[in-house]
Amino acid sequence: MTETRSPSPPLSRKRSRLYLVLIALVFAAPMLVAGLLTLAGWQPGTKGNGEPIVPQRNFVAEKLDVQLADGHPYAWRDSKPRLTLVALPGPDCAAQCFELLTGLAKARLMLNRNQSRLRLLYLGTPPADPQRRAAMQPFWLVGSDVDGKLASFRPSAPDSLSVILVESNGTALSYYPAGFDGPGLARDLQKVIK
């Protein structure tokens, strides 16, 4: 008996198979790359501009007392779920500090219909300039950290500002030290408040 070989497929059949394999690779390659990136620990768009607060702190559980300028205590837990942006000025909040405060108030306005979901709390001595003080009143609640529990987050450089973003249940989410990226914080607010 003689061995019969099947004739080789015509050239068009080989080309069709090659195209089929290439099309399958076009769909499989991105999934393979995504799997490898995930295994390596990379996640797209999940890095915030602030620093994590470690160990995690909850200002309600710590009984962090804030007294507002009108004499009332500040309620970390609100009747509605709203985040709080806590501004902690260094000594002598002047031009640069006020510019940052204005930028943060603008970032709140850029939340559009969600701006009511963010409260702005300034803990410290307001700017000495009466015009600047009057300009911040419509946007910022002014108060003081009664027991000084946030002193480690307060900058020591004059005319500087650091910020803490606090969840509606009193949990501190992230810390933005003096010299933080204002537009980066605004982007973080857009991600968190939807």
Side-chain angles (χ1 to χ4, degrees):
M1 223 167 151
T2 63
E3 196 174 309
T4 59
R5 277 190 185 173
S6 61
S8 61
L11 185 60
S12 64
R13 185 176 284 169
K14 284 184 181 180
R15 192 174 292 149
S16 296
R17 288 179 183 165
L18 179 64
Y19 286 143
L20 180 64
V21 169
L22 288 175
I23 288 172
L25 283 176
V26 165
F27 289 102
M31 289 188 288
L32 290 172
V33 170
L36 290 174
L37 289 173
T38 301
L39 288 175
W42 183 79
Q43 292 291 319
T46 57
K47 178 158 176 16
N49 291 285
E51 299 174 4
I53 296 178
V54 179
Q56 188 77 51
R57 292 181 65 179
N58 185 296
F59 297 157
V60 174
E62 287 181 26
K63 296 186 179 10
L64 192 143
D65 292 326
V66 170
Q67 185 171 2
L68 297 175
D70 63 6
H72 290 91
Y74 183 76
W76 291 106
R77 288 197 179 158
D78 197 16
S79 58
K80 297 182 232 174
R82 297 193 293 177
L83 280 80
T84 302
L85 197 61
V86 180
L88 300 164
D92 186 32
C93 182
Q96 185 177 352
C97 174
F98 181 74
E99 185 178 323
L100 288 168
L101 290 170
T102 303
L104 295 173
K106 286 179 184 177
R108 180 180 179 262
L109 291 173
M110 288 174 40
L111 294 172
N112 295 324
R113 62 183 171 85
N114 290 324
Q115 65 180 300
S116 64
R117 295 191 56 216
L118 179 68
R119 302 182 292 175
L120 301 176
L121 177 62
Y122 178 90
L123 297 180
T125 305
D129 181 4
Q131 288 180 330
R132 289 185 177 144
R133 187 179 293 203
M136 57 182 287
Q137 282 181 344
F139 303 102
W140 291 90
L141 291 170
V142 177
S144 62
D145 176 10
V146 176
D147 300 321
K149 291 183 178 180
L150 296 177
S152 62
F153 296 105
R154 192 175 297 278
S156 58
D159 199 21
S160 60
L161 187 74
S162 63
V163 177
I164 300 173
L165 182 60
V166 182
E167 180 64 68
S168 58
N169 66 359
T171 303
L173 294 177
S174 55
Y175 168 61
Y176 299 83
F180 64 88
D181 176 30
L185 189 143
R187 283 190 300 273
D188 287 355
L189 291 175
Q190 292 282 344
K191 290 178 195 173
V192 173
I193 302 173
K194 293 180 181 182

